Amino acid sequence: MCPPLLYPDASKLAEDPFPALQTWLTEIERRNPGKRFLLCLDEYERLSEVVEATSSRVPLNFIRNLLQHQHKWILLFSGSHELSELPAYWSDYLINTRALRMTYLQESEAHDLILKPVENFRDIYEPTAVDAIIQVTRCQPYLVQLVCYEVVELLNRDIRRNRREADTAKVTAQDVKEIIPVVLERGAPYFQELWRSLADSDSSLLRRIIHGETPTQQDKGVIRKLTRKEILTPEGNAFQVPLVQKYIEQLLEEE
């Protein structure tokens, strides 16, 4: 059994964080001989904000030092931006990393996630409801889970109100349609971050498509970019994920 993970020294972190972190990582290695460690940096792009605010690349130098010299540590950077969207200096710091693109689930995987989220999960979905969830999310894993959570909540509320029998109650395609406004509200941080991450040229094109305009030859570069970001189809005239389209439509209506 591994010893419990110790915490870094708060006072030393406040005084000079990166030497304190280096000491902390070394102590973890010392206490766990023969082990390798995975350090996950979520939303790593936010480090650009630190660089810009401090005019210092010390955080990135620390990361590069870990990559080059801490051989027992594996670093996992997760984020929503491609390297080409980041400031040019990032290429130097991530030169020894490997990019892995995470995309939609396969439809069979989405079926399993919906129908068997945990062991011995009761069959609560009508087949048309499963199809509706897959259609509206396009098997985007976060959205699949969010929609499933909300339809289960809806089903449970209906059972408590005696509108349905607990043993035979089923989620219907109409239920999926009914909870979409709730999904857009509960998933607002996800949708807002997606919208904020877009360049002006990206959001301008999406506005035009929502308003029924047809993309032009001049939009080809933006369409390619938004296709890579899994927002538009390669033809540039349709959204890949209906829920994303519904959010943007709602956003524009409220402006």
Side-chain angles (χ1 to χ4, degrees):
M1 180 180 294
C2 293
L5 183 66
L6 72 161
Y7 290 94
D9 188 303
S11 61
K12 291 183 178 179
L13 278 175
E15 180 182 339
D16 197 346
F18 298 107
L21 287 173
Q22 186 67 62
T23 299
W24 178 58
L25 296 175
T26 301
E27 181 61 18
I28 290 174
E29 290 182 26
R30 188 188 68 79
R31 294 191 179 201
N32 298 274
K35 300 289 185 182
R36 300 192 73 189
F37 309 94
L38 177 65
L39 179 61
C40 301
L41 301 175
D42 192 21
E43 296 186 8
Y44 73 97
E45 310 101 313
R46 294 295 176 89
L47 287 172
S48 293
E49 299 173 11
V50 178
V51 172
E52 292 164 9
T54 62
S55 298
S56 170
R57 297 186 188 177
V58 170
L60 301 185
N61 290 328
F62 175 73
I63 288 173
R64 179 161 57 187
N65 182 71
L66 288 180
L67 286 168
Q68 293 177 344
H69 302 295
Q70 298 288 140
H71 301 302
K72 291 186 177 181
W73 290 85
I74 300 169
L75 271 64
L76 174 63
F77 303 89
S78 64
S80 58
H81 293 74
E82 296 182 341
L83 183 58
S84 60
E85 298 177 274
L86 301 177
Y89 57 75
W90 271 102
S91 297
D92 181 39
Y93 291 96
L94 298 180
I95 194 170
N96 292 322
T97 61
R98 178 187 176 193
L100 296 174
R101 185 177 184 83
M102 304 301 293
T103 185
Y104 307 116
L105 298 172
Q106 296 294 320
E107 190 167 318
S108 60
E109 295 170 330
H111 267 277
D112 287 342
L113 180 59
I114 296 167
L115 298 174
K116 304 172 185 175
V118 294
E119 190 175 356
N120 298 322
F121 189 73
R122 185 171 69 83
D123 179 14
I124 64 168
Y125 293 97
E126 292 186 357
T128 53
V130 176
D131 293 340
I133 294 171
I134 288 175
Q135 188 276 329
V136 80
T137 64
R138 210 212 165 184
C139 302
Q140 203 277 3
Y142 166 71
L143 295 177
V144 170
Q145 293 179 82
L146 180 60
V147 171
C148 289
Y149 175 84
E150 293 302 336
V151 293
V152 168
E153 287 290 292
L154 175 64
L155 185 63
N156 287 336
R157 287 196 299 271
D158 284 353
I159 290 171
R160 287 194 295 270
R161 293 168 185 165
N162 298 317
R163 288 174 54 189
R164 307 191 195 184
E165 293 293 332
D167 293 338
T168 59
K170 295 273 189 177
V171 174
T172 67
Q174 180 58 35
D175 291 330
V176 176
K177 181 178 179 180
E178 183 178 331
I179 55 86
I180 284 177
V182 179
V183 168
L184 296 179
E185 180 181 352
R186 297 285 175 84
Y190 167 82
F191 294 112
Q192 289 167 359
E193 179 60 26
L194 177 67
W195 182 251
R196 282 195 296 262
S197 72
L198 300 176
D200 290 343
S201 57
D202 305 336
S203 55
S204 175
L205 176 60
L206 296 180
R207 289 172 187 272
R208 287 161 44 208
I209 292 172
I210 291 291
H211 290 136
E213 296 184 31
T214 301
T216 66
Q217 286 292 111
Q218 287 71 33
D219 296 318
K220 279 190 171 181
V222 178
I223 290 171
R224 283 195 297 270
K225 177 183 175 183
L226 292 176
T227 300
R228 290 196 305 271
K229 291 177 74 70
E230 299 182 333
I231 295 175
L232 290 181
T233 60
E235 297 76 22
N237 58 0
F239 285 76
Q240 293 193 30
V241 182
L243 275 176
V244 171
Q245 178 175 352
K246 290 178 184 296
Y247 172 78
I248 297 176
E249 288 174 344
Q250 178 178 286
L251 187 71
L252 299 185
E253 287 174 0
E254 295 173 352
E255 287 184 338

